[in-house]
């Protein structure tokens, strides 16, 4: 897990409750890599490292981050707690849990009280990938170069879908 994917300062923070969440959250990083968006990735547990979470979220904007992607499983308090401590957009990724296949994580993240928004994505790999793409789309609203890369990504994705069921 690298702190940044390019020589530029990170503008997206990817945080997760434990290292075991990285196999899911790596898909957010891959989407950002593909679009050339610099990020940092950190383990920040809402329950086991609350001071680290506070320090991370409270300093995120002043450190130049513009979006946070937070992945969490089980009780999944990380996205909501981060959102309560920063004015930045926070995108929550429910990490699949063994007991309830990520439904517990999804319900925990999606039920934020009014006033503390968390954009909640799908459970697992698809949610992480889409969180990376959504973070890029948020950034692209004020970055024409990134917007062009995102448009090219979407066009290539569309071109990659065959029109027929046969080869």
């Amino acid at each position: 897990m690298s702190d940044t994917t390019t020589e530029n300062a990170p503008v997206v923070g990817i945080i997760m409750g434990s290292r075991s969440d990285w196999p899911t959250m790596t898909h957010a990083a891959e989407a950002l890599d593909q679009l050339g968006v610099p990020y940092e990735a950190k383990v920040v547990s809402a329950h086991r490292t609350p001071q680290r979470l506070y320090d991370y979220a409270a300093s995120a904007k002043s450190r130049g981050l513009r979006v946070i992607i937070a992945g969490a499983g089980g009780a999944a308090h990380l996205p909501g707690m981060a959102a309560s401590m920063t004015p930045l957009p926070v995108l929550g990724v429910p990490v699949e849990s063994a007991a309830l296949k990520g439904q517990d994580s999804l319900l925990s993240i999606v039920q934020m009280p009014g006033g503390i928004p968390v954009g909640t994505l799908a459970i697992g790999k698809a949610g992480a990938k889409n969180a990376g793409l959504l973070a890029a789309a948020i950034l692209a609203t004020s970055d024409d170069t990134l917007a062009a890369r995102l448009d090219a990504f979407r066009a290539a994705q569309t071109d990659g879908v065959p029109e027929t069921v046969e080869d």
Side-chain angles (χ1 to χ4, degrees):
M1 202 172 359
S2 124
D3 273 354
T4 55
T5 59
T6 72
E7 296 170 10
N8 299 325
V11 292
V12 175
I14 300 174
I15 57 175
M16 63 214 78
S18 69
R19 284 183 173 173
S20 64
D21 297 337
W22 182 240
T24 297
M25 299 309 293
T26 191
H27 299 287
E30 289 169 0
L32 294 169
D33 281 338
Q34 189 172 6
L35 294 167
V37 176
Y39 65 87
E40 64 184 20
K42 304 280 185 187
V43 174
V44 180
S45 171
H47 301 112
R48 293 180 301 276
T49 64
Q51 188 63 49
R52 186 184 306 168
L53 167 58
Y54 174 81
D55 293 343
Y56 186 89
S59 69
K61 184 176 180 181
S62 67
R63 292 184 301 106
L65 296 182
R66 296 181 52 207
V67 179
I68 295 174
I69 299 171
H77 292 123
L78 182 60
M81 290 301 297
S84 75
M85 297 179 216
T86 183
L88 299 177
V90 175
L91 307 177
V93 177
V95 175
E96 188 171 333
S97 57
L100 297 173
K101 304 291 184 200
Q103 291 182 35
D104 48 347
S105 311
L106 173 66
L107 292 173
S108 180
I109 297 170
V110 81
Q111 293 187 89
M112 290 303 301
I116 310 294
V118 173
T120 308
L121 286 296
I123 297 168
K125 176 181 175 178
K129 178 178 181 177
N130 284 341
L133 294 171
L134 184 54
I138 291 168
L139 296 169
T141 63
S142 61
D143 181 337
D144 291 339
T145 303
L146 177 56
R149 289 195 306 267
L150 192 56
D151 288 345
F153 167 83
R154 289 180 174 158
Q157 181 175 251
T158 298
D159 292 345
V161 177
E163 289 186 37
T164 65
V165 295
E166 302 161 349
D167 285 337

